[in-house]
Amino acid sequence: LNADVVAEGGAGYVARGNRGSIFGDLTARAVKPDDTLVVFFGSRNDKDLDPAAITMMSHNAFTLAQHLAPSAKLLVVGPPWVSADVPPSILGIRDILKSQAHDVGAVFFDPIEDGWFFDRPDLIARDGIHPTDAGHAYVADRLAPLISRQLPRAL
């Protein structure tokens, strides 16, 4: 397994990150024709943005990945939240991503439904948003089986 991880602080499907990129830009840079799996994760950074724009831009990112790597599977992981008190805007993003993932034949996973970070304040930094080092390890432990299920089995 050779993973290429591309991310940018503050980036979302619509929200521009600290270097000016959105998920579609990152997709164009990272996805290669021989990729087996493309994973999208997030984005709470879009929480105050227009749902119609999130719908369009997430669809564009997913279809771009399919175009760039036509035989790759797509795994879309919705935005997590730090507690069970999830803002309506985050639930809206989750619902949009679930719908768009379904429309393009991608697998969707919902960290909110699964309760990631709920009752685990020790995994979130003092800013109330970002995971601690332990929180990052926690996310990796949860992502690994999701990714593994999408990869072909060795013969």
Side-chain angles (χ1 to χ4, degrees), residues 71-84:
S71 57
K73 289 184 177 183
L74 230 56
L75 171 62
V76 178
V77 180
W81 195 252
V82 299
S83 73

Side-chain angles (χ1 to χ4, degrees), residues 7-146:
E8 184 173 314
Y13 291 95
V14 178
R16 296 225 169 254
N18 55 25
R19 293 191 182 118
S21 299
I22 59 173
F23 281 14
D25 301 326
L26 300 172
T27 300
R29 281 185 231 147
V31 177
K32 306 293 183 265
D34 62 344
D35 285 346
T36 304
L37 176 66
V38 177
V39 180
F40 289 88
F41 183 24
S43 165
R44 71 180 278 153
N45 294 324
D46 292 321
K47 77 178 185 73
D48 296 321
L49 300 176
D50 178 26
I54 297 166
T55 300
M56 181 181 71
M57 299 304 278
S58 60
H59 180 81
N60 290 350
F62 301 159
T63 56
L64 176 60
Q66 290 176 318
H67 173 76
L68 294 172
S71 57
K73 289 184 177 183
L74 230 56
L75 171 62
V76 178
V77 180
W81 195 252
V82 299
S83 73
D85 186 23
V86 184
S89 61
I90 296 297
L91 295 174
I93 292 168
R94 186 258 331 257
D95 295 344
I96 289 168
L97 297 179
K98 183 176 184 178
S99 174
Q100 292 307 305
H102 180 265
D103 285 353
V104 301
V107 172
F108 179 80
F109 179 80
D110 183 2
I112 293 170
E113 182 179 303
D114 205 51
W116 287 15
F117 296 111
F118 293 5
D119 300 320
R120 293 299 311 267
D122 57 306
L123 300 176
I124 302 299
R126 289 180 196 210
D127 67 3
I129 297 170
H130 297 94
T132 60
D133 288 346
H136 283 289
Y138 176 86
V139 169
D141 287 345
R142 266 121 201 98
L143 285 175
L146 298 175

